[in-house]
C-alpha cells in the first residue's frame, strides 16, 4: 500500500500548472473560433456579391440574341404611355435580368389591370442588351416596359453628383479598393460589406434623382430588385401622404432600427439636427410624390449631406442612411402589411406573416438567386419565374 501511495503521489499534477495549461488551451480555442468566424463572414460577403455562373451565361446569351435582331424589332411598344400621369409608374434600377423579371412578373400577375402599369428600368450599358432582349421576348402581359442606360444620363457626372466626385479622390480609392488597407485587414468582415459593388454603383444612388430621371411624372413607386409583389399595388397611388415626399413602412421596434443605429451621433452635425430615437424606414418599396420632391428640393438636401460625408464620419456607406437624412420629417408611414423585410437574413419569419404581406423583401446576403438562399423562402420567388424557359435551361439555371 505504501509503494502504491508513493507512486500515486509521483503521478499527481501540480494544480496551478494544470489550470494555467487549461487557460492557455481555452484562449487558443477562442482565438481559433474568432478567426474561423471572421473567415466565414468574409466568405459570405464574397459569395453574396459574386454573380452566379448561370446568370452570367444568361446575360451573354441574351446579348447575342439582341445583337441579331433587326433594328426595327429592338424597340418596345406603348412608348406614348411613358409620360402619361394617369397610369401607374414604377422605377426599377438593376443590372440583374432575372431579378428584374421576377419583380415585374409578380407585379403584373397580381395587378387588376396590367395595361395601366408602366415599368421604367434603368440598367448599365453592359446589361442593357440583355435586359431589353429578355422583355422583348418575354413581355409581361399588357404592361409597358422602358429600358434605359444610366450612361445616357449625361447630367449625372462628378461635377453634379457628390458620390461620383468622392469616388475619384485618392482616399476613397484607397479605402474601397486597396487590398492591404488597414481597415481591410483589421476588421475585414465588418468592412467588406461596405465594399460590395452595389454600394458604389450609381444604379444604387440613382434613387435620389427620380425627378431628374422622370421630369414629367407626378408620382412613382420605387422597387428594389430583390422583392416579390404578392398583391395589387395600385391603392398606393391613392394614399394621402399628407404633404410628405416619401411613403414607406417603418422598421423600428422598441430599441432597434432607429436613427442612432445608422448615423454617427457623436458628430455634432448629426446630433444637432436629428433625433437618435427617430424611427427608421425601409427602402425597397416607396411611393414618392415627385411634385413635392421638387418643391422641397430633396435632391439638393441629399447633395449637401453627401458632400459633408466625404470622410465617412457621418455614416458608413449605402443609401439608407442618406435616405433617412434626406427624407427626415418628410416620410409618411405606410401600413405594415405593404412591406415585409428580412427574407435575406432572418430564418424565423412566419409563413402567415409572409402570406399577409403585399411585398416581401429579400434584403440581406441570402438572395433567392444565390446558393446562400434559405430554401424555406425560395418558392415565393421562383413561382414567378419559368424555370423551363429555353434561356434558363441553356444556362443550366435551376433555382
Amino acid at each position: 500500500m505504501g509503494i502504491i501511495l508513493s507512486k500515486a503521489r509521483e503521478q499527481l499534477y501540480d494544480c496551478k500548472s494544470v489550470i494555467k495549461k487549461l487557460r492557455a488551451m481555452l484562449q487558443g480555442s477562442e482565438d481559433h473560433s474568432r478567426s474561423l468566424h471572421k473567415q466565414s463572414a468574409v466568405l459570405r460577403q464574397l459569395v453574396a456579391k459574386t454573380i452566379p455562373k448561370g446568370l452570367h451565361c444568361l446575360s451573354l446569351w441574351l446579348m447575342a440574341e439582341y445583337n441579331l435582331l433587326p433594328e426595327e424589332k429592338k424597340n418596345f411598344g406603348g412608348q406614348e404611355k411613358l409620360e402619361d400621369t394617369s397610369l401607374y409608374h414604377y422605377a426599377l434600377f438593376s443590372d440583374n435580368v432575372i431579378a428584374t423579371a421576377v419583380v415585374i412578373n409578380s407585379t403584373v400577375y397580381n395587378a387588376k389591370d396590367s395595361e395601366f402599369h408602366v415599368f421604367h428600368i434603368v440598367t448599365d450599358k453592359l446589361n442593357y442588351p440583355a435586359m431589353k432582349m429578355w422583355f422583348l421576348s418575354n413581355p409581361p402581359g399588357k404592361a409597358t416596359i422602358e429600358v434605359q442606360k444610366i450612361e445616357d444620363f449625361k447630367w449625372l457626372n462628378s461635377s453634379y453628383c457628390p458620390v461620383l466626385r468622392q469616388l475619384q479622390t485618392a482616399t476613397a480609392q484607397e479605402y474601397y479598393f486597396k487590398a492591404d488597407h488597414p481597415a481591410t485587414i483589421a476588421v475585414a468582415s465588418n468592412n467588406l460589406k461596405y465594399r460590395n459593388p452595389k454600394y458604389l454603383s450609381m444604379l444604387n444612388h440613382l434613387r435620389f434623382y427620380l425627378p431628374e430621371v422622370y421630369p414629367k411624372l407626378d408620382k412613382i413607386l420605387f422597387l428594389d430588385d430583390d422583392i416579390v409583389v404578392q398583391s395589387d399595388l395600385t391603392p398606393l397611388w391613392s394614399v394621402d401622404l399628407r404633404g410628405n415626399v416619401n411613403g414607406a413602412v417603418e422598421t423600428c421596434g422598441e430599441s432597434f432600427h432607429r436613427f442612432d443605429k445608422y448615423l454617427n451621433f457623436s458628430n455634432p452635425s448629426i446630433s444637432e439636427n436629428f433625433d437618435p430615437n427617430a424611427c427608421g424606414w425601409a427602402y425597397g418599396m416607396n411611393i414618392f410624390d415627385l411634385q413635392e420632391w421638387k418643391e422641397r428640393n430633396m435632391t439638393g438636401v441629399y447633395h449637401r449631406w453627401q458632400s459633408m460625408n466625404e470622410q465617412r464620419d457621418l455614416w458608413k456607406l449605402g443609401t439608407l442612411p442618406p435616405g433617412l437624412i434626406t427624407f427626415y420629417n418628410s416620410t409618411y408611414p405606410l401600413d405594415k402589411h405593404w412591406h415585409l423585410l428580412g427574407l435575406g437574413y432572418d430564418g424565423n419569419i412566419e409563413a402567415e406573416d409572409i402570406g399577409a404581406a403585399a411585398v416581401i423583401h429579400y434584403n440581406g446576403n441570402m438572395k433567392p438567386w444565390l446558393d446562400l438562399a434559405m430554401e424555406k423562402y425560395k418558392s415565393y420567388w421562383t413561382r414567378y419565374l419559368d424555370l423551363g424557359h429555353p434561356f434558363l435551361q441553356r444556362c443550366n439555371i435551376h433555382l
Side-chain angles (χ1 to χ4, degrees):
M1 179 63 73
I3 294 172
I4 292 172
L5 290 173
S6 178
K7 287 182 178 180
R9 281 194 295 269
E10 291 174 1
Q11 296 298 321
L12 288 174
Y13 292 97
D14 182 358
C15 289
K16 291 183 179 180
S17 299
V18 172
I19 292 172
K20 186 176 181 181
K21 185 175 182 179
L22 288 173
R23 283 178 175 169
M25 291 171 63
L26 179 61
Q27 182 65 42
S29 297
E30 290 177 347
D31 290 344
H32 184 61
S33 176
R34 279 193 292 268
S35 176
L36 291 175
H37 180 74
K38 181 176 289 188
Q39 290 178 30
S40 174
V42 170
L43 289 173
R44 281 198 300 270
Q45 294 291 343
L46 287 172
V47 172
K49 66 180 184 179
T50 300
I51 301 174
K53 183 171 65 175
L55 299 190
H56 184 62
C57 165
L58 177 64
S59 293
L60 291 177
W61 273 110
L62 289 169
M63 183 187 300
E65 292 290 328
Y66 180 79
N67 290 332
L68 293 175
L69 286 178
E71 287 300 319
E72 64 271 15
K73 292 187 177 181
K74 289 184 176 181
N75 297 314
F76 296 102
Q79 298 303 290
E80 70 281 357
K81 295 182 178 181
L82 298 181
E83 296 178 349
D84 187 341
T85 56
S86 67
L87 302 178
Y88 305 108
H89 294 267
Y90 302 80
L92 181 56
F93 308 143
S94 175
D95 57 4
N96 188 324
V97 174
I98 206 167
T100 303
V102 169
V103 174
I104 294 179
N105 288 346
S106 63
T107 306
V108 170
Y109 180 84
N110 291 287
K112 292 181 179 178
D113 297 298
S114 64
E115 61 184 307
F116 300 121
H117 296 256
V118 183
F119 295 90
H120 304 268
I121 304 167
V122 180
T123 188
D124 55 30
K125 63 181 179 182
L126 184 64
N127 293 281
Y128 176 75
M131 192 74 76
K132 285 197 73 175
M133 187 62 206
W134 178 268
F135 289 105
L136 285 169
S137 57
N138 301 279
K142 297 180 180 179
T144 301
I145 297 290
E146 177 191 35
V147 180
Q148 294 178 280
K149 299 191 297 285
I150 192 170
E151 289 81 5
D152 288 342
F153 302 147
K154 301 305 180 185
W155 49 267
L156 196 65
N157 51 55
S158 58
S159 62
Y160 178 63
C161 178
V163 168
L164 282 175
R165 185 165 60 250
Q166 290 164 7
L167 285 175
Q168 294 176 357
T169 64
T171 54
Q173 296 280 333
E174 182 180 25
Y175 181 80
Y176 294 124
F177 304 111
K178 192 173 180 181
D180 59 348
H181 189 278
T184 306
I185 298 171
V187 282
S189 61
N190 291 329
N191 283 271
L192 189 60
K193 66 180 179 180
Y194 297 117
R195 290 169 174 75
N196 191 315
K198 75 171 186 176
Y199 292 124
L200 305 177
S201 169
M202 278 310 299
L203 283 175
N204 203 38
H205 290 268
L206 194 60
R207 65 191 68 195
F208 293 106
Y209 299 95
L210 289 172
E212 285 92 331
V213 181
Y214 309 111
K216 300 293 181 65
L217 299 182
D218 296 331
K219 273 190 175 183
I220 199 163
L221 185 65
F222 171 79
L223 298 175
D224 270 344
D225 66 1
D226 55 352
I227 62 106
V228 171
V229 177
Q230 300 190 128
S231 65
D232 183 31
L233 299 181
T234 54
L236 285 168
W237 274 263
S238 302
V239 173
D240 181 6
L241 298 180
R242 299 179 185 178
N244 290 291
V245 178
N246 173 30
V249 170
E250 293 184 332
T251 56
C252 59
E254 293 182 1
S255 61
F256 56 93
H257 288 177
R258 295 185 181 274
F259 272 42
D260 61 345
K261 302 299 182 184
Y262 302 102
L263 306 175
N264 178 18
F265 275 86
S266 65
N267 189 297
S269 297
I270 295 295
S271 59
E272 293 172 5
N273 288 282
F274 304 99
D275 178 4
N277 292 314
C279 192
W281 45 266
Y283 256 135
M285 192 225 63
N286 308 77
I287 185 75
F288 287 107
D289 184 330
L290 300 184
Q291 296 299 319
E292 194 69 32
W293 182 314
K294 286 183 279 192
E295 287 183 17
R296 298 194 188 188
N297 189 24
M298 305 309 290
T299 301
V301 175
Y302 162 68
H303 279 176
R304 181 167 68 88
W305 284 98
Q306 187 67 55
S307 297
M308 292 169 60
N309 194 46
E310 184 169 351
Q311 300 303 317
R312 298 172 301 280
D313 49 8
L314 303 184
W315 67 86
K316 289 282 188 181
L317 199 62
T319 53
L320 181 55
L324 295 176
I325 286 177
T326 301
F327 300 108
Y328 185 62
N329 289 331
S330 299
T331 297
Y332 177 78
L334 298 175
D335 187 86
K336 296 282 186 183
H337 91 278
W338 283 113
H339 192 183
L340 177 69
L341 294 99
L343 278 75
Y345 69 89
D346 185 355
N348 298 312
I349 302 175
E350 298 291 338
E352 183 180 353
D353 294 332
I354 296 175
V359 170
I360 55 175
H361 197 164
Y362 291 82
N363 57 310
N365 287 334
M366 300 178 185
K367 303 299 185 190
W369 55 85
L370 298 176
D371 290 338
L372 282 176
M374 285 182 271
E375 286 296 327
K376 62 186 293 187
Y377 300 145
K378 286 185 73 170
S379 63
Y380 298 103
W381 190 81
T382 55
R383 70 179 57 168
Y384 295 105
L385 192 65
D386 179 12
L387 294 176
H389 191 284
F391 280 122
L392 303 189
Q393 291 290 310
R394 186 180 297 173
C395 291
N396 198 30
I397 297 176
H398 304 288
L399 299 167

